[in-house]
Amino acid sequence: MKGEDVNKAVLVAVLHIIETWIESDRSALARVNGLAATTDSTVDDKSKRAYSVLKHFLPPQAHANLVAGIANIAPRATDGVGETARRWARPERRIEVGRSLLAAAARAQRAAEARDEAARVAAEEEAARLAAVAQRLAAEEARRVAEAEAEARRRAERAAALKRFRVEAEAMLQRDFLAGDAWFDSWDTDGQVTRSDFEDWKAAFVQEWARNVLGYDKFDNQQARAVATTSADLRLVARAGSGKTRAIVTRALFLQLHCGVEPGAIVLAAFNRKAVEEISDRLRAALPADARLPHVVTFHALAYALLRPEEELVFDDEDSESFAQSKRVQAVVNDLLVERKDDVRRAMLGHFTEDWKRIEQRGLHMTRDEFFASRAEVTRVTLRGEYVKSFGERVIANALFEHDVDYKYERNFTRGGFNYRPDFTVLAAGKPRVVIEYFGISGDPLYQRNADQKRNFWASQKDVTFVEFNPSQIVSLGDEAFRSHVLSTLDQAGIPYHRLSEDEIWERVRHRALDTFSKTLRSFVSRARNLNLSADDIRQRMYALDEPDESVRAFLELAADVHEGYLARSRLEGFEDFSGVMWRASAEVRAGQATWTRAGGKEHGDLRDIRFIHVDEFQDFSEMFMDFIQAIRNQAPRAVLCCVGDDWQAINGFAGADLRFFANFETDFPSSTTHQLVTNYRSGRQIVSAGNTVMNGLGEPARSFQSAPGSIQIARLTDFVSSPIERHLFQGDIGTPALLRLIKHALAETDGNIAVLFRRNTVPWFTNTGQGAFGRRLDAYLTYLQGHFTEEESKRLEVTTAHKYKGREADFVIVADADAKSYPLLHPTAGLFEVFGDTLDSITDADRRLFYVATTRAETSLCYLVTREDPTPFLGALMATAHSVRWDNLPVAVTNADAKVEIRIYDGYDVRETLKDRFGFAYDESNKTWYAFRPADGFDFQVVRQVLSFIGPRLIEVRDGSQRVIHRAGARLERDVQVPF
């Protein structure tokens, strides 16, 4: 059938379907009217035939669209009878709608066919694309396989070539190691062997040599590379515990035993005799008995041997307690004290009291961050010698001192379980009467909460008057009026005082002031000598300072005169110090002096023969030592340097060391190289990590060799509550019993040594063994602490400074003052050394490095004792991650001679008078009990029965010095416990 006929047939079918609707509607109307009607089956048959025509002639999409269109116009069940017949009564309307439906169906069919065609084309294109991709991937896979096969052949060929070349290289290294680098540069390997390959072979060769010849079971690749670097000047950055001494000793041994370098051509120079002795001992142990040692000397000894001065050599040596140089400086100072005593007095009193101008310029109102960022800057020493935290505290302390008021700075208070140290405690008849707090920080919620806690605490104490001051009062009143305000509070509390005369003040501070003055001048002269400065040089530097305080200017004028007098006295009396020897030796060497004899004629040397120079502790170099080394290089231009040190352990700036020589090594010595020793063999993983935290972002971090983690603890003295027996034995002293607990814990935890490291060389401030900046020395405190342990235990205990413990190690280390007042610490005299380039930043950086040194002395256990509310900022994230010490888990430590038992009674309020008056009991607020002590030796339990006979049945305990209950009788009373005051 043709297209026109199909369209006609389809249209007729649509019209028939509409006609069936009309017929059905008419039949329904007829039945309503009671007339004859067409049967429904007849109509249904006609409709089915019409739908069959549609399905037969129309393609699927057109058919579906047409059927849907017919359904849209079909009668609804809601239509009234006769409504359909009326709607479709006109034939032309039926034809028009039918044609419209056919047109829509045709459009739908064309759209479907277009979509099908597009899908067909897309499918064909996708199939073509996939075929292309498959072809490309197959080509790439084939190329990859070919390249992999070629790479495998190349690697195999290179491996075979490297094996051949390595045999050749090792033969060369065995034959003439020192010529190896030059040989490699001329070696034709057709690019098969790189410089990196050759360096790896050299390091492996050294490792094998060290195993076979020296018996080393561990000598890492970094150490081996340091030994193998023999053609270029080398800076070896050696982190704590990384084996730097082993590295330079092995290098010297390798040069002598394998490379055949004459011992006289090798120099190992150190800064002190201990290092020389250690290096010599290690060399001697490894060399044949009849072998000569290389030259192992201190810089000063080498300079002295080269110069051979006729003058008497004067120097200070703490180990032998020889202070010949200090005595010569002191002789000049003594003359000054006689001839210009008024100038000295003015300079020192000004030093203790003057910095109002600086405070005014900087301002007193600081946020917490600003305060702690500048804490080192505002740390000052008072007239009486305390190190205080702020200008305001110093004003208060000096006002009290100048008016003869008996006070304690940061004296510990423990009441009702609350333990802290107020800034000032004013005493009357030896008992606390007034407590003064200086709240110096504004705008910090935590600080304000702590301040409120202190206010609330003192509000409940009826026997002590609480007074608080803040910076705004100093700003509004001025210095002098503020002092008067402080004194007026004493009037209100009934504290007597009277103003001391200037002469009385001077007499009270004279000894300490002159001691400070003398010590500072001795250090000043030593720094000036280290820099080879004249008195005029010092004066020129003084004039260049930016508006120094009058006290600083007065001191520097005196210091220049003392330095000038010292130099004049050295010429007159014919003596020379080590700095003078060093500078003069450098000049002599540049003038041609090259030979030396030392050790009583047993050791001879010639600078012109030197081929290898090893420098230990290079981070402590100064201009003087650099000048000496460069002078030697003028005589020995082919000598190769190996300078070993750790910029993280540069802590001797106070003695003239300058870290810039370490930092600028590759600039000062062109064509040099740098290697790192970062594997720490000493400490557990957590301790190594702690050191990295302290120095975070300041260089290559260390790595731990140990599999054991080690332990790190934070002990807060502010959380410590002493036991009754500790309060009885250490009255007014909270620090010593806390420290003794930590030491006892350490002795139980390890069989090794315990080191307690302090920032200062004086008895710690938090003990009751003497306040002030110049109290007893630590060696006496060590003896005191050792008395609380057995002889064997005391042999394992060391108490010293972090400075002095550098280069040493202990199983358990206690950093005893890890707080913001000690790290960083700006000594009160630090401002006097600005002429030498010292700044707040440089001193703070040095203290960070010192804290790193203290941290890395520990092998297995490390404990930071934070003695104040504010830990040192150098701890950083360690404060949040380290384990906190629980003081109640640590046993008390008391001496056998002082051993006592504690008799403790519960629920004794109703018999308090009997307990106090008859038996001498006291009340312990922390545990709400009554206690008394009796000697442990020969203690008679009859005492317990006697007490019970007077107070009636209640719980009574007897505890030994470790708070272990050794006897218990009675039971608790079932009633509320009352506090006796």
Side-chain angles (χ1 to χ4, degrees):
M1 186 177 289
K2 295 181 180 180
E4 293 180 358
D5 295 335
V6 169
N7 289 340
K8 183 176 180 180
V10 170
L11 178 60
V12 169
V14 171
L15 294 176
H16 284 171
I17 291 172
I18 295 174
E19 288 170 356
T20 61
W21 300 342
I22 297 172
E23 291 175 3
S24 294
D25 188 44
R26 287 174 177 171
S27 296
L29 181 62
R31 283 192 290 273
V32 170
N33 296 323
L35 302 176
T38 305
T39 64
D40 290 341
S41 60
T42 302
V43 174
D44 289 343
D45 289 343
K46 185 176 179 180
S47 177
K48 289 178 181 177
R49 287 194 300 273
Y51 275 109
S52 296
V53 171
L54 296 181
K55 186 172 183 180
H56 175 74
F57 286 109
L58 292 178
Q61 188 61 42
H63 174 263
N65 182 271
L66 183 59
V67 170
I70 293 171
N72 286 335
I73 63 174
R76 302 288 184 266
T78 58
D79 291 347
V81 176
E83 183 177 343
T84 301
R86 289 192 298 273
R87 180 185 303 153
W88 299 105
R90 295 174 53 243
E92 58 272 19
R93 172 167 169 72
R94 295 196 294 270
I95 294 172
E96 178 185 358
V97 171
R99 286 175 176 170
S100 176
L101 290 173
L102 288 179
R107 288 195 299 273
Q109 183 61 38
R110 287 194 299 272
E113 291 172 353
R115 286 195 300 273
D116 291 344
E117 178 64 15
R120 184 190 64 76
V121 171
E124 290 178 355
E125 290 177 348
E126 178 63 12
R129 187 188 69 78
L130 292 176
V133 169
Q135 186 177 7
R136 178 174 58 79
L137 290 176
E140 289 179 356
E141 177 63 14
R143 184 167 60 255
R144 188 193 64 78
V145 170
E147 290 175 351
E149 292 174 350
E151 177 64 15
R153 289 193 299 272
R154 187 188 69 78
R155 289 184 177 183
E157 292 170 358
R158 185 169 186 269
L162 286 178
K163 187 175 181 180
R164 296 193 305 272
F165 285 129
R166 183 166 185 173
V167 171
E168 187 177 351
E170 288 182 345
M172 176 62 193
L173 296 175
Q174 183 67 40
R175 182 173 64 253
D176 190 353
F177 191 96
L178 297 182
D181 288 328
W183 174 79
F184 174 81
D185 291 337
S186 62
W187 192 21
D188 184 11
T189 65
D190 195 26
Q192 294 281 359
V193 181
T194 66
R195 168 59 74 175
S196 178
D197 294 326
F198 189 60
E199 293 299 329
D200 288 341
W201 294 347
K202 287 167 61 181
F205 183 91
V206 169
Q207 285 180 298
E208 184 68 17
W209 180 88
R211 276 192 297 270
N212 294 336
V213 177
L214 302 179
Y216 288 173
D217 58 346
K218 57 182 180 183
F219 194 68
D220 65 38
N221 183 266
Q222 291 179 328
Q223 293 169 326
R225 284 179 179 273
V227 172
T229 302
T230 58
S231 300
D233 293 329
L234 171 65
R235 175 180 58 182
L236 186 57
V237 182
R239 293 287 181 249
S242 62
K244 71 174 181 64
T245 303
R246 168 178 271 205
I248 61 173
V249 167
T250 303
R251 192 172 189 270
L253 291 169
F254 182 76
L255 292 171
Q256 182 172 343
L257 296 178
H258 177 73
C259 302
V261 178
E262 285 295 317
I266 303 171
V267 173
L268 295 97
F271 282 94
N272 58 70
R273 287 203 303 268
K274 285 184 179 179
V276 166
E277 290 170 1
E278 181 182 1
I279 293 171
S280 298
D281 289 344
R282 294 195 188 194
L283 289 170
R284 197 174 290 111
L287 289 169
D290 58 346
R292 279 179 57 202
L293 261 65
H295 297 296
V296 186
V297 293
T298 65
F299 287 101
H300 294 121
L302 180 57
Y304 186 84
L306 286 163
L307 183 63
R308 291 170 287 189
E310 296 180 357
E311 298 92 340
E312 176 191 0
L313 181 63
V314 297
F315 58 93
D316 291 346
D317 184 1
E318 262 192 53
D319 294 334
S320 62
E321 296 186 355
S322 172
F323 300 99
Q325 184 179 2
S326 289
K327 289 179 180 177
R328 301 304 174 97
V329 178
Q330 188 63 47
V332 181
V333 174
N334 290 341
D335 291 343
L336 191 72
L337 294 176
V338 173
E339 298 167 3
R340 300 174 61 183
K341 62 179 181 180
D342 290 339
D343 292 340
V344 173
R345 173 172 165 171
R346 182 174 63 255
M348 295 315 295
L349 285 179
H351 170 66
F352 291 133
T353 58
E354 179 188 275
D355 58 1
W356 175 248
K357 179 174 66 177
R358 183 185 296 112
I359 295 297
E360 280 189 319
Q361 292 171 346
R362 187 176 44 118
L364 279 167
H365 293 290
M366 290 183 289
T367 65
R368 180 184 179 88
D369 291 341
E370 290 169 340
F371 178 82
F372 289 112
S374 64
R375 168 163 291 219
E377 181 184 354
V378 301
T379 299
R380 293 288 183 267
V381 66
T382 67
L383 282 168
R384 202 174 72 174
E386 299 102 354
Y387 291 111
V388 293
K389 301 183 292 293
S390 66
F391 172 75
E393 286 190 2
R394 193 167 86 165
V395 170
I396 296 170
N398 287 349
L400 298 176
F401 180 84
E402 290 168 348
H403 290 81
D404 199 24
V405 176
D406 186 10
Y407 74 91
K408 298 289 185 183
Y409 179 65
E410 294 194 330
R411 177 186 186 272
N412 188 75
F413 267 89
T414 303
R415 289 192 178 184
F418 186 63
N419 176 38
Y420 95 107
R421 295 178 297 280
D423 293 332
F424 300 94
T425 303
V426 177
L427 307 176
K431 295 184 177 180
R433 286 282 301 280
V434 176
V435 162
I436 300 174
E437 283 282 10
Y438 182 77
F439 295 130
I441 304 176
S442 60
D444 181 73
L446 176 60
Y447 186 87
Q448 293 305 318
R449 283 197 298 271
N450 288 336
D452 290 339
Q453 184 182 17
K454 294 172 183 178
R455 294 183 183 105
N456 294 336
F457 171 75
W458 289 114
S460 64
Q461 307 302 313
K462 306 303 182 185
D463 55 336
V464 177
T465 300
F466 175 68
V467 181
E468 64 174 270
F469 300 108
N470 59 68
S472 64
Q473 293 169 305
I474 305 178
V475 173
S476 61
L477 296 174
D479 186 12
E480 288 303 320
F482 177 72
R483 289 168 180 260
S484 299
H485 182 48
V486 171
L487 296 174
S488 70
T489 64
L490 301 184
D491 286 328
Q492 296 171 14
I495 301 296
Y497 62 87
H498 73 280
R499 169 74 187 190
L500 300 176
S501 68
E502 292 298 313
D503 288 338
E504 288 175 316
I505 292 173
W506 174 244
E507 283 305 312
R508 294 194 181 193
V509 304
R510 180 177 181 278
H511 176 74
R512 181 175 56 79
L514 294 182
D515 187 44
T516 304
F517 183 68
S518 298
K519 289 180 179 178
T520 305
L521 279 175
R522 292 197 297 269
S523 179
F524 190 94
V525 169
S526 178
R527 292 281 296 272
R529 294 292 289 142
N530 192 284
L531 290 170
N532 205 24
L533 299 178
S534 67
D536 286 340
D537 293 333
I538 294 171
R539 295 184 183 101
Q540 288 300 319
R541 291 186 175 209
M542 178 185 70
Y543 299 144
L545 293 178
D546 183 20
E547 297 185 4
D549 292 342
E550 287 303 317
S551 61
V552 173
R553 182 179 292 276
F555 173 85
L556 293 177
E557 289 173 349
L558 293 172
D561 292 343
V562 169
H563 184 58
E564 192 169 42
Y566 172 79
L567 295 177
R569 188 178 288 259
S570 70
R571 292 189 295 269
L572 180 64
E573 297 181 3
F575 66 83
E576 183 62 281
D577 56 36
F578 270 137
S579 294
V581 167
M582 290 290 298
W583 285 109
R584 288 170 58 189
S586 297
E588 287 292 315
V589 170
R590 283 193 171 87
Q593 176 63 35
T595 60
W596 79 86
T597 301
R598 59 184 300 270
K602 297 178 182 178
E603 181 180 340
H604 304 272
D606 191 325
L607 295 179
R608 293 165 294 193
D609 296 334
I610 294 177
R611 296 179 62 188
F612 296 95
I613 302 172
H614 301 77
V615 176
D616 190 25
E617 304 290 0
F618 181 60
Q619 76 277 353
D620 290 334
F621 244 44
S622 67
E623 186 175 340
M624 178 177 68
F625 294 112
M626 179 61 79
D627 187 68
F628 186 55
I629 285 293
Q630 289 175 334
I632 293 175
R633 285 283 288 260
N634 287 342
Q635 289 284 355
R638 64 174 183 156
V640 176
L641 287 172
C642 174
C643 297
V644 186
D646 184 3
D647 52 335
W648 285 8
Q649 298 187 71
I651 61 173
N652 290 318
F654 69 95
D658 192 336
L659 194 53
R660 66 187 171 92
F661 295 107
F662 187 94
N664 297 337
F665 181 85
E666 294 185 353
T667 301
D668 293 335
F669 300 101
S671 302
S672 61
T673 188
T674 295
H675 288 327
Q676 304 269 352
L677 299 184
V678 298
T679 302
N680 184 312
Y681 292 93
R682 172 191 301 154
S683 306
R685 295 194 311 273
Q686 291 186 20
I687 298 170
V688 174
S689 178
N692 291 337
T693 298
V694 172
M695 301 301 293
N696 184 37
L698 298 175
E700 184 73 16
R703 297 192 298 264
S704 177
F705 177 81
Q706 302 291 343
S707 58
S711 68
I712 300 179
Q713 298 174 302
I714 303 286
R716 283 188 171 273
L717 192 59
T718 51
D719 295 337
F720 177 72
V721 178
S722 55
S723 68
I725 193 168
E726 288 170 323
R727 290 197 291 276
H728 176 74
L729 295 175
F730 306 99
Q731 295 183 18
D733 184 350
I734 189 174
T736 299
L739 191 55
L740 285 171
R741 284 202 200 185
L742 292 175
I743 294 171
K744 188 169 185 176
H745 166 66
L747 288 167
E749 186 173 289
T750 178
D751 294 329
N753 290 343
I754 291 90
V756 181
L757 306 181
F758 287 96
R759 175 63 181 86
R760 304 171 182 86
N761 194 31
T762 54
V763 172
W765 67 271
F766 53 79
T767 70
N768 195 33
T769 53
Q771 291 198 27
F774 305 100
R776 292 165 48 196
R777 294 178 63 84
L778 283 181
D779 50 6
Y781 191 55
L782 168 61
T783 302
Y784 176 68
L785 294 176
Q786 286 175 327
H788 291 79
F789 302 100
T790 67
E791 183 178 353
E792 288 303 312
E793 289 175 331
S794 64
K795 290 178 180 178
R796 295 163 52 198
L797 175 63
E798 296 179 87
V799 177
T800 184
T801 65
H803 263 111
K804 291 182 179 179
Y805 214 67
K806 182 180 180 298
R808 303 182 60 192
E809 57 198 46
D811 292 87
F812 198 119
V813 168
I814 300 171
V815 182
D817 43 10
D819 49 69
K821 190 174 181 180
S822 297
Y823 293 95
L825 171 67
L826 183 70
H827 286 280
T829 58
L832 307 177
F833 291 84
E834 189 179 353
V835 292
F836 299 127
D838 292 0
T839 65
L840 175 61
D841 287 342
S842 69
I843 295 171
T844 301
D845 291 343
D847 262 35
R848 178 183 293 276
R849 296 190 291 267
L850 180 61
F851 194 72
Y852 168 79
V853 168
T855 294
T856 54
R857 299 311 93 196
E859 293 179 340
T860 58
S861 298
L862 173 65
C863 179
Y864 296 108
L865 177 58
V866 180
T867 62
R868 299 173 181 274
E869 293 177 356
D870 304 301
T872 170
F874 303 151
L875 279 173
L878 289 173
M879 287 301 299
T881 58
H883 173 70
S884 294
V885 168
R886 289 194 57 184
W887 291 106
D888 53 356
N889 289 342
L890 302 185
V892 301
V894 297
T895 64
N896 291 331
D898 287 332
K900 296 181 184 298
V901 295
E902 176 194 351
I903 304 174
R904 181 180 295 186
I905 296 175
Y906 294 82
D907 310 326
Y909 178 75
D910 58 331
V911 292
R912 60 190 181 280
E913 299 302 330
T914 302
L915 290 172
K916 287 192 295 185
D917 299 339
R918 186 176 185 88
F919 296 105
F921 276 72
Y923 186 71
D924 186 354
E925 294 181 37
S926 62
N927 54 35
K928 304 298 187 291
T929 62
W930 293 85
Y931 67 92
F933 294 100
R934 298 291 183 268
D937 187 23
F939 176 73
D940 186 357
F941 286 94
Q942 178 65 30
V943 172
V944 177
R945 289 189 288 274
Q946 182 183 11
V947 172
L948 285 175
S949 68
F950 276 91
I951 66 173
R954 63 197 70 225
L955 179 60
I956 183 169
E957 295 176 344
V958 180
R959 296 174 175 250
D960 63 13
S962 298
Q963 291 296 292
R964 182 172 55 92
V965 177
I966 59 176
H967 180 75
R968 179 182 284 114
R972 294 292 301 267
L973 300 182
E974 295 184 0
R975 67 182 184 207
D976 293 336
V977 177
Q978 293 179 284
V979 179
F981 51 81

